[in-house]
């Protein structure tokens, strides 16, 4: 065997060296530092909405409302009786006005109870659908299909889907097929509407947080926009927008987000849109707006999952990252 000198060409890299990534060519990791945007407005909204009042606080507010209600009732009664004693006709008119006001209050209470019952009905249908899928119970799945048909019986925008569902629902031989048919014919159209509502809310929260320098204005704006968004999402899926029902829905959604920790992360969805290096160079106020918009999108996706009568079976679940990209891309264009 020859043991002569061996020549190494240092200018021409070997195949392994050419294909090996060079750490010096990698993009620098963004150093966001202590002033990195955290979405404090949305985190504050989530904590406030998810906070469960103590027993003492519930007793306090309940007794306070009872005392104020009793004082108002006694004052109104004394006012009416004294007025009747002075002038019967004027007293009768005022009595009629008070009776009309009480009637309107009762109608508002009935509407609120109806909104809560509507949300409970949707939650029950969702639970029954999950049970039917887990047990592959075709009879239970067909019962869920009938419940969804009754839920959307008065919706003109779903008339064509209801007709197609009526024609094809008896052909399903498995529970998953029956529910997937409902999802394709009825819920796919509603999913698109709900996602648009989430995009609008995310863009609005991002804009207000970035443009308004007031300390509490961003929290108020984020809370208002998110409550309105959740109310609209519930209405899209057949729920009714009542004050108490909306607050109950908000608590359910925010409690879920706080428990999973999803509300504490937002910049991971922004890097594919604007780049990590650019995110680190943004002003803190502008970065807060982007993160709050991203967190609003996550709240919207959670609201869709809560308000949707059926779980996602064959239709693809909306991605919070895609929603953020579409919403904040429009934000950048503006």
């Amino acid at each position: 065997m020859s043991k002569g000198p061996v020549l190494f060409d240092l200018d021409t890299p070997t195949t392994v060296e050419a294909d090996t990534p060079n750490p010096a060519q990698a993009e620098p990791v963004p150093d966001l530092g202590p002033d990195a945007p955290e979405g404090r407005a949305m985190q504050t909204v989530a904590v406030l909405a998810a906070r469960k009042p103590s027993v003492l606080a519930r007793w306090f507010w309940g007794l306070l409302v009872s005392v104020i209600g009793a004082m108002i009732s006694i004052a109104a009664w004394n006012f009416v009786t004294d007025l009747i004693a002075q002038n019967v006709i004027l007293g009768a008119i005022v009595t009629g006005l008070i009776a009309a006001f009480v009637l309107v209050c009762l109608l508002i209470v009935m509407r609120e109870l109806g909104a809560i019952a509507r949300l409970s009905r949707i939650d029950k249908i969702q639970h029954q659908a999950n049970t039917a899928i887990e047990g592959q119970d075709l009879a239970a799945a067909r019962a869920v299909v009938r419940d969804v048909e009754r839920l959307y019986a008065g919706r003109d925008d779903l008339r064509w889907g209801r007709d197609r569902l009526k024609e094809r629902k008896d052909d399903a031989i498995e529970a998953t097929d029956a529910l997937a048919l409902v999802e394709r014919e009825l819920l796919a159209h509603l999913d698109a509407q709900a996602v648009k509502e989430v995009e609008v809310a995310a863009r609005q929260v991002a804009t207000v947080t970035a443009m308004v320098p007031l300390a509490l204005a961003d929290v108020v704006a984020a809370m208002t926009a998110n409550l309105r968004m959740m109310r609209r999402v519930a209405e899209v899926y057949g729920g009714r927008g009542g004050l108490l029902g909306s607050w109950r829905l908000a608590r359910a959604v925010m409690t879920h987000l706080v428990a999973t920790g999803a509300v504490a992360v937002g910049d991971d969805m922004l890097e594919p849109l604007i780049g990590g290096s650019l995110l680190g160079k943004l002003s803190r106020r502008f970065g807060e707006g982007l993160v709050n918009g991203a967190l609003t999108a996550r709240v919207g996706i959670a609201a869709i999952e809560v308000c949707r009568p059926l779980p996602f079976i064959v239709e693809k679940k909306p991605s919070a990252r895609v929603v953020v990209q579409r919403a904040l891309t429009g934000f950048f264009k503006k």
Side-chain angles (χ1 to χ4, degrees):
M1 179 179 297
S2 176
K3 295 184 178 179
V6 179
L7 178 63
F8 293 94
D9 188 359
L10 300 179
D11 296 330
T12 303
T14 62
T15 303
V16 177
E17 292 174 346
D19 296 337
T20 303
N22 187 357
Q25 299 176 354
E27 295 184 359
V29 178
D31 184 14
L32 300 183
D35 295 332
E38 302 175 357
R40 292 188 178 276
M42 279 301 301
Q43 293 188 35
T44 303
V45 170
V47 172
L48 291 177
R51 180 180 299 172
K52 187 176 181 181
S54 63
V55 177
L56 186 61
R58 289 198 297 266
W59 273 101
F60 171 79
W61 290 112
L63 292 174
L64 180 62
V65 171
S66 300
V67 171
I68 294 176
M71 293 172 60
I72 294 175
S73 301
I74 294 173
W77 175 265
N78 293 333
F79 175 74
V80 170
T81 54
D82 293 342
L83 189 59
I84 291 176
Q86 297 175 10
N87 191 322
V88 178
I89 298 177
L90 187 58
I93 294 175
V94 173
T95 302
L97 293 176
I98 294 177
F101 176 76
V102 173
L103 178 60
V104 171
C105 291
L106 291 177
L107 292 177
I108 293 175
V109 172
M110 292 178 62
R111 181 182 178 183
E112 293 292 335
L113 294 177
I116 295 176
R118 191 86 169 179
L119 292 175
S120 300
R121 180 182 178 185
I122 293 176
D123 183 68
K124 181 179 179 181
I125 294 175
Q126 189 180 87
H127 177 72
Q128 292 174 344
N130 288 324
T131 303
I133 293 174
E134 292 176 359
Q136 286 297 314
D137 190 343
L138 180 59
R142 289 179 173 173
V144 172
V145 172
R146 290 192 295 270
D147 290 339
V148 175
E149 286 180 318
R150 287 193 291 266
L151 179 65
Y152 298 132
R155 295 280 294 265
D156 293 335
D157 57 333
L158 298 177
R159 181 179 303 173
W160 186 77
R162 290 198 307 270
D163 293 339
R164 284 179 55 86
L165 178 61
K166 186 176 181 181
E167 294 173 358
R168 302 173 58 189
K169 65 180 181 180
D170 294 333
D171 298 335
I173 58 177
E174 293 184 1
T176 304
D177 296 336
L179 297 179
L181 184 61
V182 177
E183 191 178 25
R184 284 192 295 263
E185 301 298 340
L186 296 180
L187 298 185
H189 175 65
L190 301 181
D191 292 339
Q193 296 182 26
V195 170
K196 289 182 180 178
E197 295 291 340
V198 176
E199 292 177 3
V200 171
R203 189 179 300 114
Q204 179 181 1
V205 171
T207 303
V208 173
T209 307
M211 301 300 178
V212 179
L214 299 179
L216 295 179
D218 54 353
V219 177
V220 175
M223 179 176 294
T224 304
N226 278 266
L227 288 175
R228 186 187 303 113
M229 174 190 65
M230 286 183 279
R231 180 174 178 175
R232 288 293 301 128
V233 168
E235 291 176 352
V236 166
Y237 287 109
R240 293 178 180 175
L243 178 61
L244 297 179
S246 299
W247 185 251
R248 179 184 177 187
L249 174 62
R251 285 196 58 191
V253 173
M254 293 300 185
T255 300
H256 173 72
L257 290 177
V258 171
T260 57
V263 76
V265 182
D267 56 339
D268 60 329
M269 293 184 291
L270 299 176
E271 290 185 10
L273 177 64
I274 62 177
S277 59
L278 180 58
L279 180 63
K281 298 176 183 178
L282 293 175
S283 66
R284 178 173 179 81
R285 198 69 197 172
F286 194 73
E288 283 287 329
L290 296 180
V291 175
N292 285 328
L295 295 178
T296 300
R298 282 189 169 177
V299 172
I301 298 301
I304 289 176
E305 292 183 284
V306 172
C307 299
R308 203 174 191 262
L310 300 182
F312 287 94
I313 304 173
V314 294
E315 294 293 325
K316 186 177 180 181
K317 175 184 172 182
S319 170
R321 178 169 295 181
V322 173
V323 172
V324 168
Q325 291 177 359
R326 280 163 39 178
L328 299 187
T329 297
F331 174 71
F332 284 131
K333 289 180 180 179
K334 290 185 178 182

